[in-house]
């Protein structure tokens, strides 16, 4: 890949106001178009790390920016521009779908960009079509299935035309079919992916590379197949290797 | 207390819309200025919470059950301005979603339950809270007391609107509404204290209002207070000297009211009302009101005593 | 609720929401402020309501159930009108006009999606903060109702007392739990808004 990496994180530290030290010096980078899994036990700091990619947590430690997106350092001044390039999918779809209808929700992002009405409408229908929800404009979100909600959230991100998608537990509360459809959808997108998940089979199916986070530090970073097959490493960090049958999924999605 | 369509006449409904509109406009302005941006979605979620909480049943007796109104609870948890906006959303939703509360009466309903109830509730709460010593128990006591006051005053205002519309004589509406809502107010007080105590136990950090009221919360209180005063002056005061003598007097007036098909805008007190003096009916009504208020005050104190968190070894009992 | 009904669209469903809201408002205003003995007007109103219900293809049973749900409150309050002279006739007149207004409002809610009504409220320049609050309240009402049901079930499955006090504490705990969850959710929703470009 040419050009700057999609995401560069350098020695990122974060302590919550209540004193909890969530990130203790995290460094890694994701190349343009690369698909990376972020795994680790509960409380490892995965969600905190994703929030940092959008500059959503206040009071970073003083010093130079620890996060760069497509070469742009993430600072309060650049946060709005960076958020348009990095789509963040939250763990709970109901938090993310806050508008009365799916159409309004998908248009929320583009409407903030100062685009023309026609352009916003075009982006909305393009994004909805991309996730297979064409014609869902007028649906109220509470009428959608869990899978449809997840895809509607994704449409809201795609409408911003992002270069990176950072997904927090994207398969949560999806049935196997919804999970499979999501994997197909994600692997077809021309964006870099960072997927934080406990669903290791899904990570293996979608990502070539895996980063293991535990207690705010990166403890492993390498090819997904090798790392997820490393039983002792997995067990040491509250994880387990996905069952062999789910590895077959990899053939379906990765190429 | 939701007034349906058809109960109010034009002037009362219009006055309701004007006063409620003015007060809510001010509340929105103060909320926009005083609320930190991360709290703006909280207005909507608080409204959804109030709506859902109103659907919870609190069994009373014989299969009947009461429910929360929530104006004072919201005012204590969010501040009066935000509570007014949230309550207004709840009432508007109830009207447009379930036809609960009339469209022409929406102004009056907003005024009673989204303006007067949280404003009176919060005022009574903060006075009592300060007087009772700013402890958790004082917070529960003050909230229960505020809830009772807000229920009764809002009901009196509704009674004034019904009476002014010529629905029924003031001598009937006021005692009936006052009596019923002095009882309902006790439920509201108990439920408010119960819910507040449960929040206090699980997440004491959310009850910043219990420690101190930041200036932001009090912003805009004065103009809203003026709207409340205007509403009370318009809807309650004209009857204040007329209503205590209740049913007896209604009987006397039967013949008169027959011809006075529509009661005039602000009925001037009749000569025999002018000097209530020591009229036994007035005296007994005043005494009854006083006794009810004292009982509510005592009840609020007892609720708080029973519910206030005691220092314990282990923090348990979450929902 | 309403959206399911709207899916089976009749001719009234397809009319613009603004037109329906204006018409319903006009009808309600006309009826609510009609003299209480204008029984001719009420008769005409009733005929129009019946005609509209039939025309709308809203299932009459559903319409009547909704009406019966709110009618008792109106009828109960109307009892106050028995006191002044002319009692019964006035009571009946009051009941008639209140019921007709309720019927019109219910017909409006059964043929119009709330999201469309929100659009109208936004267009008539209601303060934006208020419309946003309404929209969010409507959006999360259903989420919270489900949460309340879950909390109540969880509580019930571990409650072995039939005492009223336990029921009260249970409901209060559910209400408190709901408040805490909505408070936390408000923070997450705000975060999601910022993530998609809401200015700080």
């Amino acid at each position: 890949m040419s050009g700057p990496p999609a995401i560069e994180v350098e020695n990122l530290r974060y302590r919550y106001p209540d004193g909890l030290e969530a990130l203790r010096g995290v460094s890694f980078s994701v190349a343009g178009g690369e698909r990376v899994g972020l795994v680790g036990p509960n409380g490892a700091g995965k969600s905190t790390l994703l929030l940092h990619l959008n500059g959503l947590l206040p009071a970073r430690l003083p010093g130079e920016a620890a996060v760069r997106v497509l070469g742009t350092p993430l600072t309060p001044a650049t946060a709005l521009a960076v958020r348009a390039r990095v789509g963040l999918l939250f763990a709970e779809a109901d938090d993310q779908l806050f508008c009365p209808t799916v159409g309004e929700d998908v248009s929320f992002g583009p409407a903030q960009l100062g685009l023309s009405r026609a352009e916003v409408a075009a982006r909305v229908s393009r994004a909805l079509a991309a996730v297979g929800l064409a014609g869902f404009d007028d649906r109220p979100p509470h009428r959608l299935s869990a899978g449809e909600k997840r895809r509607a959230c994704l449409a809201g991100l795609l409408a911003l035309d992002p270069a990176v998608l950072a997904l927090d537990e994207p398969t949560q509360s999806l049935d196997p079919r919804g999970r499979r459809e999501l994997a197909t959808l994600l692997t077809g997108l021309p964006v870099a992916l960072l997927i934080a998940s406990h669903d290791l089979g899904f990570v293996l199916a979608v990502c070539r590379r895996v980063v293991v986070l535990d207690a705010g530090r990166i403890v492993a970073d390498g090819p997904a197949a090798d790392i997820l097959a490393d039983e002792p490493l997995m067990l040491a960090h509250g994880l387990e290797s996905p069952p062999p049958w789910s590895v077959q999924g990899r053939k379906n999605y990765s190429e | 207390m939701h007034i349906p369509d058809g109960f109010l006449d034009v002037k009362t409904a219009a006055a309701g819309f004007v006063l409620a509109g003015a007060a809510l406009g001010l509340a929105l302005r103060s909320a926009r200025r005083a609320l930190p941006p991360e709290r703006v979605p909280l207005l909507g979620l608080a409204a959804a919470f109030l709506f859902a909480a109103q659907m919870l049943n609190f069994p009373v007796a014989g299969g009947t059950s009461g429910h929360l109104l929530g104006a004072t609870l919201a005012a204590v948890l969010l501040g009066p301005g935000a509570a007014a906006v949230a309550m207004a959303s709840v009432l508007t939703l109830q009207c447009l979603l379930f036809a609960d509360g009339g469209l022409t009466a929406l102004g009056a309903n907003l005024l009673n339950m989204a303006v007067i109830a949280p404003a009176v509730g919060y005022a009574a709460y903060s006075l009592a809270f300060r007087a009772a010593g700013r402890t958790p128990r004082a917070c529960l006591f003050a909230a229960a007391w505020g809830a009772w006051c807000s229920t009764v005053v809002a009901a009196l205002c509704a009674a004034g609107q019904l009476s002014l519309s010529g629905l029924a004589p003031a001598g009937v509406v006021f005692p009936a509404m006052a009596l019923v809502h002095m009882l309902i107010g006790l439920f509201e007080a108990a439920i408010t204290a119960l819910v507040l105590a449960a929040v206090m136990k699980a997440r004491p950090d959310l009850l910043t209002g219990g420690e101190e009221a930041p200036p932001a919360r009090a912003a805009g209180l004065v103009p809203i207070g003026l709207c409340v005063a205007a509403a009370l002056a318009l809807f309650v005061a004209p009857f204040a000297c007329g209503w205590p003598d209740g049913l007896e007097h209604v009987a006397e007036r039967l013949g008169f009211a027959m011809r006075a098909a529509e009661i005039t805008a602000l009925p001037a007190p009749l000569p025999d009302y002018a000097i209530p003096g020591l009229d036994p009916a007035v005296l007994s009504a005043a005494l009854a009101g006083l006794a009810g208020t004292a009982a509510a005050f005592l009840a609020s104190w007892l609720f708080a005593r029973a519910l206030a968190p005691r220092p314990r070894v282990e923090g348990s009992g979450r929902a | 609720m309403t959206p399911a009904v709207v899916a089976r669209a009749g001719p009234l469903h397809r009319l613009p929401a603004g037109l329906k809201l204006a018409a319903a408002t006009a009808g309600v205003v006309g009826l609510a402020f009609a003299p209480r003995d204008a029984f001719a007007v009420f008769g005409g109103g009733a005929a129009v309501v019946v005609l509209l219900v039939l025309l709308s293809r809203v299932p009459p049973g559903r319409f009547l159930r909704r009406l019966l749900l709110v009618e008792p409150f109106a009828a109960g309050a109307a009892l106050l009108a028995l006191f002044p002279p002319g009692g019964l006739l006035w009571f009946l007149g009051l009941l008639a006009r209140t019921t007709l207004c309720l019927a019109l409002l219910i017909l409006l809610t059964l043929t119009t999606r709330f999201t469309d009504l929100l659009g109208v409220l936004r267009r008539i320049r209601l303060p934006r903060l208020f419309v946003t609050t309404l929209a969010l309240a409507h959006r999360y009402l259903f989420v919270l109702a489900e949460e309340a049901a879950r909390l109540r079930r969880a509580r019930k499955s571990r409650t072995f007392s039939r005492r009223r006090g336990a029921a009260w504490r249970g409901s209060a705990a559910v209400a408190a739990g709901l408040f805490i969850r909505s408070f936390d959710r408000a923070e997450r929703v705000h975060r999601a808004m910022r993530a998609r470009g809401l200015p700080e």
Side-chain angles (χ1 to χ4, degrees), chain B residues 1-3 7-17 19-20 105-113 116 153-168 170 173-174 177 231-232 234-236 238-239 265:
Chain B
M1 218 188 295
H2 290 62
I3 302 175
F7 279 57
L8 299 181
D9 62 3
V10 178
K11 64 177 185 307
T12 314
F17 271 107
L19 281 173
L106 185 60
N109 285 330
L110 286 172
L111 184 65
N112 301 340
M113 286 178 279
I116 290 178
V153 176
L156 287 180
C157 202
Q161 289 151 356
L162 293 176
S163 180
L164 202 57
S165 300
L167 182 86
V173 182
F174 272 94
M177 288 287 274
L232 293 180
L234 195 59
F235 296 129
V236 179
F239 305 103

Side-chain angles (χ1 to χ4, degrees), chain C residues 6 36 40 65 84 92 141 147-148 156 181:
Chain C
V6 175
R36 266 186 284 192
R65 263 200 309 280
L92 290 178
L141 181 60
E147 259 172 21
K156 252 192 189 149
R181 281 153 188 251

